[in-house]
Amino acid sequence: MTMTASQHRINSLAAALSSIERSTKEGERCCDQLSRLARQLDSLTSPASDASAILTQASENLASTLWRMKDAREKFDTVQDCEPAIQRLASGAKEAMEQNSISHRNNKERRETGDEIDAVLFAEGAYSLTEQDLLAAADSMDILRDAHAYFMERPHWKSTPVTLRNLERVHTNGVESMSLLLTAILTACGPACRPKQDKSSRHEHETAPETRHRLGEALQKKDLMNSVGEYEDVFPLEPRPVREIRAVMDCLGGDGSYLGPPERRPKANFNMQQNNKAVRTEKIGSGFYCNLTKTPISTGFPHLDAYAEARRSVACASLDGYNRQLKAEQKKAALRQRSTSAKAVVDVDSAARDAVRCLEHAMVVVAGEKSIFRCIISTTFAEGSKIPAQEYKYAYVRAYTHVVSAVVDRVMDIIELVFFKEAGIGQTSAAASDIETSGSSSSLSIRAASSAAAAGLRILDGVRILGPSLAKLCELSEGRENGDAGSLAGQLCISIHRTTVKNCARTLENLVKSIQNESSDGDQYTLSSNVVRAIRVISPFWSAYKSVSKRRALPWDQNIADDALDMDAYIQCLISKLLSNLQTKAKRYALNQEDKAGSAKGALFMVNNSYYLLEQFSRPSSAALSTVENDEIYCLENAAWFKEKVGGVYQSQKDLYLSHWNILRTRLTSVEKSDLVYQKDKLLSLESGRLIKSRFSTFNEDFEELYQMHCPLKVIDEKLRGILQNDVYNAFLPRYTEFFEKFSKIQFSKKNQESYLKYPPMRVQILIKDLYEIL
């Protein structure tokens, strides 16, 4: 049967499906075979992969172990690697110190011979230690600190204790060497001041008003440092030493100066008074005021201690050298003025002037030290340090205070030595054991006491003007932030003013005592002229005296603060003591029973002195005529109490003296015409003649006796001599002239008329003109 086309297609499709089914089964069989082979292969490769992973991990562990072993080996080798750099630093620092000592000796010899000294000792190439050596040592110090921290974290290692000890030994050597190098550099660079080039800055002949005017004007212009002293502050370090110092400060700053935890750092020891008040503990003239400045500083940071001790020694040497220079100038001046005397005496005013010059020099020295401090220390604290920033700030503020407080301490001793030695307050107001000098007299003369008082006021003038500025230079803003207002330098600055006020008060009291106790006779003006001089020399110190009276109760003025009186009260006290002493001396004349003229001598003594005082203070003083502004000068000429008090003494004593001459008037009683009886020859009767004779003879006898007593008396002042002569003339001569002219025309004696009339008024007047003359 023939198939159709459709049937044929169906058969073809069936055959294709059958072929596909056979291919599928064959593929499934192959897949199963491949899966079986894959499982077999997987079972063969899995152990190799695990082994490979283990090997990779092992390789990584081995690399890490090798790195740690290498790092540990490097840490163990730190001492060996770093010690050479530290040793080079140590030898270089020692060499620098030796060179410093040699240069110091050479400069001392040059100074003695007058040659120029070395200005900079640490110039480039001046010593074998290079800047690279120092930087290498600083890097080694950092490495040592890192190694120490590394082993501190591994205390279980057997070699850790030995290694730590070696690291600490080398680090300590490095700290000591860097501190030694700091000492060498900061000592060798010299003082932070130099003489001014301007010759007008020399103040060796400057008067007290001129000093006050110069300093006061500088304060007003806010240009004090340019006007203070004969030196100017200067930065003494060259660039290389500055870089080296900063490298050391950066290396040792913060916790770089010790190894280990903060509690292992050396404890600071700051010497301070518990009562916030510096007091004298050392002998006057020893070079020290307070023993706190003699104690070495211990801030807990060796580099700060090295800085403080080095600059302290240089600053003190600068002030001591300047003081010795001034003393040498004083001795030369004294020898020139007293070339014929066996012993030269230093003028107390010159000593006071030089004490103020030392105070000015101290300000310059402190200003220079502050510039050094700001350059090398103020920016050295490292961030991230274990030490709190405030603690480190407190330490370097104390280091700076240690430097400047020593300068203030020295100038305090210099000032107080002037009070005790030249001003002599130890002679009447202090124990002899308080001063190193001896051999002075037990009391002061008025001239010496007045010079001492003026010198004390002059020093106080300088202290009150310069003291606040010096205190400000001694302060640091960091110290104020830390509440460190009571630093030793601040205490000493306060003590300068307090001590000067106290000593100045003693000089003022000594002047009062010297006037009160003056017992020497001398000439009639000695005592008064000395007191006049005393008032003159202390008059230019109105404000300085006010500083004393406001702070201390004085015997003549117990008030203090705003209730205190000014200099007028002190001058009243001096005048009162003078008048009292003069009256005591005048009474000695009256008490002399053997001297008939004693009473007259005493009265005339008071007249001479009181008139001298009135004359001396009735015209402007030479100080008031000075070209310098005289607002500070006290003028006794304008004091109403003085004219009233001294003028009253003058008038009363003059009246007492003239009362001796007034006796002559009582001898010239008139004879009434009714008592005159004439004889026939127009001659007076015997009884009437006797009336006139008795009056003339009594007058002649009294006049001769008075004239003999008063003729030896002297009046030095020509003007007063004329006044007294005129007053004596007016005391009796007008009445005597009238009497003489009336009765000399009468013949009251036959034989001896001329003997009774031997003193005509013209002759008496001539004799009076000869009274009180100085031959």
Side-chain angles (χ1 to χ4, degrees):
M1 141 179 219
T2 305
M3 290 188 303
T4 62
S6 298
Q7 187 64 39
H8 181 72
R9 290 191 186 94
I10 291 171
N11 292 334
S12 296
L13 286 173
L17 287 173
S18 178
S19 177
I20 290 172
E21 182 178 1
R22 286 193 304 273
S23 298
T24 301
K25 289 180 179 179
E26 182 66 24
E28 289 177 355
R29 187 181 60 78
C30 290
C31 285
D32 292 338
Q33 186 178 4
L34 288 173
S35 297
R36 189 171 55 254
L37 293 174
R39 284 193 298 272
Q40 185 180 2
L41 181 61
D42 184 61
S43 65
L44 294 175
T45 58
S46 293
S49 298
D50 294 341
S52 177
I54 293 172
L55 290 173
T56 302
Q57 183 64 39
S59 176
E60 292 176 357
N61 291 341
L62 182 59
S64 176
T65 301
L66 290 174
W67 179 84
R68 290 178 182 275
M69 290 179 64
K70 181 180 179 182
D71 184 52
R73 185 60 186 173
E74 289 178 354
K75 299 299 183 185
F76 279 113
D77 292 340
T78 299
V79 172
Q80 183 178 355
D81 294 339
C82 297
E83 193 166 16
I86 301 299
Q87 289 177 347
R88 284 196 300 272
L89 173 65
S91 61
K94 291 178 182 179
E95 180 188 352
M97 284 299 296
E98 292 174 358
Q99 185 178 5
N100 191 10
S101 300
I102 296 172
S103 299
H104 178 74
R105 289 195 298 269
N106 293 340
N107 285 339
K108 185 177 180 181
E109 295 175 358
R110 293 176 181 178
R111 193 179 292 109
E112 292 174 353
T113 57
D115 296 335
E116 184 178 356
I117 65 173
D118 291 339
V120 179
L121 300 178
F122 278 74
E124 189 69 31
Y127 57 109
S128 61
L129 184 68
T130 65
E131 192 172 352
Q132 287 72 24
D133 291 336
L134 178 59
L135 295 177
D139 292 338
S140 298
M141 295 289 284
D142 292 335
I143 295 172
L144 289 170
R145 284 193 293 271
D146 293 340
H148 189 275
Y150 176 86
F151 286 105
M152 287 292 291
E153 295 174 356
R154 294 161 177 81
H156 56 280
W157 289 4
K158 292 183 179 181
S159 58
T160 293
V162 176
T163 305
L164 287 176
R165 285 196 296 271
N166 288 332
L167 289 172
E168 291 171 358
R169 174 182 58 79
V170 177
H171 184 271
T172 301
N173 187 20
V175 172
E176 293 175 351
S177 300
M178 287 187 172
S179 299
L180 187 64
L181 182 62
L182 274 181
T183 300
I185 296 175
L186 292 173
T187 303
C189 68
C193 59
R194 65 184 178 191
K196 292 180 178 177
Q197 300 298 321
D198 186 6
K199 294 183 179 180
S200 62
S201 62
R202 296 283 297 175
H203 310 307
E204 65 267 27
H205 302 300
E206 194 173 52
T207 64
E210 289 170 347
T211 301
R212 183 170 53 245
H213 176 74
R214 171 173 59 86
L215 298 179
E217 189 177 40
L219 282 174
Q220 290 179 355
K221 295 179 179 179
K222 297 182 179 180
D223 191 28
L224 183 62
M225 293 310 301
N226 286 335
S227 300
V228 163
E230 299 159 15
Y231 282 62
E232 60 185 356
D233 61 297
V234 63
F235 191 74
L237 291 167
E238 292 294 308
R240 177 191 165 182
V242 171
R243 292 194 301 270
E244 293 178 344
I245 293 173
R246 286 180 174 174
V248 172
M249 293 293 178
D250 290 337
C251 178
L252 301 183
D255 54 2
S257 59
Y258 71 98
L259 296 178
E263 54 270 16
R264 293 184 59 184
R265 183 171 60 87
K267 299 299 181 182
N269 180 23
F270 300 121
N271 299 305
M272 289 296 299
Q273 293 282 359
Q274 297 300 321
N275 58 359
N276 201 34
K277 183 178 179 181
V279 295
R280 175 172 281 282
T281 58
E282 305 301 304
K283 281 188 175 182
I284 297 173
S286 64
F288 297 93
Y289 177 84
C290 178
N291 59 3
L292 297 180
T293 60
K294 298 171 63 177
T295 306
I297 189 173
S298 177
T299 62
F301 300 94
H303 59 297
L304 295 182
D305 296 344
Y307 151 77
E309 293 296 340
R311 291 313 303 173
R312 173 186 176 275
S313 63
V314 173
C316 291
S318 175
L319 184 60
D320 290 342
Y322 183 74
N323 185 40
R324 287 194 298 270
Q325 173 188 337
L326 296 184
K327 287 186 177 297
E329 292 176 358
Q330 285 180 5
K331 290 181 180 179
K332 289 180 181 178
L335 288 171
R336 286 195 299 267
Q337 294 174 1
R338 299 171 177 84
S339 57
T340 58
S341 64
K343 183 178 180 181
V345 181
V346 176
D347 180 22
V348 64
D349 183 66
S350 299
R353 179 195 62 227
D354 290 345
V356 176
R357 291 168 71 187
C358 283
L359 180 60
E360 295 184 43
H361 188 73
M363 287 189 65
V364 177
V365 171
V366 171
E369 293 303 323
K370 196 167 190 176
S371 66
I372 293 177
F373 172 85
R374 287 300 186 195
C375 177
I376 66 176
I377 291 184
S378 60
T379 60
T380 58
F381 185 75
E383 295 295 335
S385 172
K386 299 176 184 178
I387 303 298
Q390 288 298 105
E391 183 178 350
Y392 188 70
K393 284 183 179 180
Y394 189 78
Y396 71 64
V397 167
R398 288 299 185 185
Y400 173 74
T401 298
H402 185 71
V403 176
V404 298
S405 61
V407 177
V408 180
D409 183 84
R410 291 292 176 90
V411 79
M412 282 190 67
D413 185 68
I414 291 170
I415 290 174
E416 198 160 15
L417 180 61
V418 173
F419 277 105
F420 274 80
K421 186 178 180 182
E422 282 82 11
I425 63 173
Q427 297 180 24
T428 56
S429 304
S433 60
D434 290 338
I435 186 167
E436 291 188 344
T437 58
S438 60
S440 57
S441 60
S442 59
S443 62
L444 291 174
S445 65
I446 295 177
R447 293 184 70 86
S450 61
S451 297
L457 290 168
R458 178 169 189 169
I459 294 174
L460 180 57
D461 225 7
V463 168
R464 70 180 183 84
I465 294 174
L466 299 176
S469 299
L470 177 60
K472 189 173 293 185
L473 284 172
C474 292
E475 290 180 359
L476 291 174
S477 58
E478 294 88 340
R480 290 191 294 270
E481 292 171 2
N482 293 339
D484 188 28
S487 66
L488 180 57
Q491 292 181 28
L492 290 171
C493 287
I494 295 172
S495 294
I496 285 184
H497 191 272
R498 185 183 65 247
T499 305
T500 306
V501 166
K502 178 189 70 175
N503 291 330
C504 190
R506 290 164 72 175
T507 62
L508 295 173
E509 293 172 11
N510 285 348
L511 177 56
V512 174
K513 292 177 184 178
S514 65
I515 296 174
Q516 181 179 351
N517 300 329
E518 177 63 43
S519 58
S520 60
D521 293 332
D523 58 46
Q524 57 185 341
Y525 288 153
T526 300
L527 179 58
S528 296
S529 63
N530 287 337
V531 174
V532 168
R533 177 186 175 275
I535 295 174
R536 294 285 190 218
V537 296
I538 66 175
S539 292
F541 302 101
W542 176 282
S543 295
Y545 175 84
K546 193 67 175 178
S547 294
V548 177
S549 63
K550 288 177 68 175
R551 291 164 176 81
R552 292 186 69 87
L554 301 168
W556 55 91
D557 179 16
Q558 293 294 316
N559 300 317
I560 58 174
D562 294 337
D563 296 331
L565 303 177
D566 55 28
M567 187 178 282
D568 192 64
Y570 182 60
I571 302 301
Q572 287 191 52
C573 177
L574 296 183
I575 295 298
S576 297
K577 297 297 182 183
L578 169 63
L579 294 178
S580 176
N581 195 328
L582 291 174
Q583 289 169 352
T584 300
K585 292 179 182 296
K587 289 178 181 178
R588 295 178 188 169
Y589 292 109
L591 294 175
N592 187 359
Q593 301 294 333
E594 299 178 357
D595 189 359
K596 295 181 179 180
S599 177
K601 287 181 178 179
L604 188 60
F605 176 78
M606 291 299 298
V607 169
N608 270 315
N609 283 276
S610 57
Y611 182 83
Y612 174 78
L613 292 175
L614 291 170
E615 280 294 297
Q616 287 297 313
F617 294 110
S618 63
R619 55 180 180 268
S621 66
S622 59
L625 298 177
S626 175
T627 57
V628 178
E629 295 181 7
N630 55 6
D631 295 340
E632 294 282 336
I633 298 178
Y634 170 80
C635 294
L636 184 58
E637 294 81 1
N638 302 326
W641 65 265
F642 174 77
K643 295 179 181 178
E644 179 180 352
K645 187 169 189 174
V646 181
V649 171
Y650 167 73
Q651 191 60 48
S652 63
Q653 293 298 318
K654 189 175 74 168
D655 292 343
L656 178 62
Y657 174 76
L658 293 176
S659 65
H660 294 80
W661 294 97
N662 289 334
I663 297 175
L664 295 177
R665 287 194 303 178
T666 64
R667 306 292 189 259
L668 300 174
T669 56
S670 178
V671 180
E672 302 297 332
K673 288 185 179 181
S674 59
D675 295 333
L676 297 178
V677 179
Y678 291 91
Q679 298 178 0
K680 295 180 180 181
D681 54 357
K682 297 182 179 182
L683 292 175
L684 287 176
S685 63
L686 184 60
E687 292 298 326
S688 297
R690 285 176 178 174
L691 291 175
I692 299 176
K693 288 178 183 179
S694 65
R695 285 164 172 74
F696 272 110
S697 62
T698 302
F699 174 84
N700 291 344
E701 290 173 1
D702 289 346
F703 177 75
E704 288 175 354
E705 182 180 2
L706 283 172
Y707 192 80
Q708 290 298 323
M709 286 191 303
H710 289 257
C711 190
L713 303 182
K714 305 298 181 185
V715 177
I716 298 175
D717 189 276
E718 185 177 353
K719 185 178 178 181
L720 177 60
R721 190 186 311 133
I723 291 174
L724 288 176
Q725 290 171 350
N726 188 58
D727 288 343
V728 170
Y729 176 91
N730 292 329
F732 72 92
L733 195 56
R735 187 166 183 176
Y736 176 69
T737 301
E738 180 183 354
F739 184 88
F740 188 90
E741 290 177 352
K742 180 178 179 180
F743 293 101
S744 62
K745 299 176 182 178
I746 300 174
Q747 186 70 30
F748 55 84
S749 177
K750 293 182 179 179
K751 298 180 180 179
N752 300 317
Q753 179 87 357
E754 294 181 358
S755 63
Y756 290 107
L757 301 177
K758 63 181 178 180
Y759 292 113
M762 186 60 66
R763 185 184 176 189
V764 172
Q765 187 173 359
I766 293 173
L767 290 174
I768 291 175
K769 290 294 183 183
D770 291 336
L771 284 174
Y772 321 121
E773 289 291 339
I774 300 176
L775 301 178

